[in-house]
Amino acid sequence: MISFNKDSAWDLKPIPVSDVRGEVNGLLIDGEEIAAAFKTVRDQLIFTNKRVISVDVQGITGKRKSFSSMPYSKVQFFSVQTPGFAEIIPDSELVLTFSNGYVAKFEFKGATDIGKIGRMISDYVLK
């Protein structure tokens, strides 16, 4: 489950932007674009040029979905952890601390350029 009401989301794998759930497009404002997207088995985590959006697919059928959004303007601190040397399955982590005190932790599996995500967040937070 990916939710800004929980402590963390693990095993996120990159997906093409074209695979982002269509309902997310209805949440985007003028000028907002999807920069990167990731998924667990059913849930998705989307980074736009304005915020982070989580899609929590609920229930047996998956028809019920919960959408959560945290704007970069509320990020007070963030950290990234790169994969270790010669890991069989490389993983990296992103930790976002928001002004309301919430800490979101995400673990990415596989070939995720965590440095790119860190630069992207820096670009949005520091402007």
Side-chain angles (χ1 to χ4, degrees):
M1 170 189 332
I2 299 175
S3 171
F4 289 112
N5 297 321
K6 303 293 179 195
D7 287 334
S8 55
W10 306 98
D11 296 333
L12 291 160
K13 295 176 177 69
I15 59 171
V17 170
S18 60
D19 288 354
V20 169
R21 295 186 175 280
E23 301 97 335
V24 171
N25 290 323
L27 298 174
L28 303 180
I29 63 171
D30 287 340
E32 186 173 16
E33 298 176 3
I34 297 172
F38 300 87
K39 72 171 190 155
T40 62
V41 174
R42 300 192 317 170
D43 302 332
Q44 293 186 345
L45 184 70
I46 297 105
F47 292 88
T48 76
N49 59 329
K50 307 273 184 201
R51 59 187 159 164
V52 181
I53 300 171
S54 72
V55 181
D56 177 17
V57 179
Q58 303 171 353
I60 295 171
T61 64
K63 290 184 179 184
R64 183 176 180 160
K65 297 168 192 75
S66 174
F67 298 85
S68 300
S69 170
M70 289 294 266
Y72 296 125
S73 63
K74 301 298 180 190
V75 173
Q76 294 294 305
F77 171 83
F78 76 93
S79 66
V80 294
Q81 178 180 319
T82 61
F85 177 72
E87 287 184 355
I88 294 172
I89 300 174
D91 67 331
S92 51
E93 291 183 13
L94 169 67
V95 178
L96 299 171
T97 302
F98 295 92
S99 59
N100 64 359
Y102 177 75
V103 177
K105 299 176 186 177
F106 305 106
E107 183 176 300
F108 301 90
K109 292 289 186 190
T112 298
D113 186 349
I114 195 69
K116 179 180 177 183
I117 293 172
R119 287 186 302 277
M120 177 182 68
I121 293 171
S122 292
D123 188 44
Y124 301 141
V125 170
L126 298 174
K127 285 187 174 181

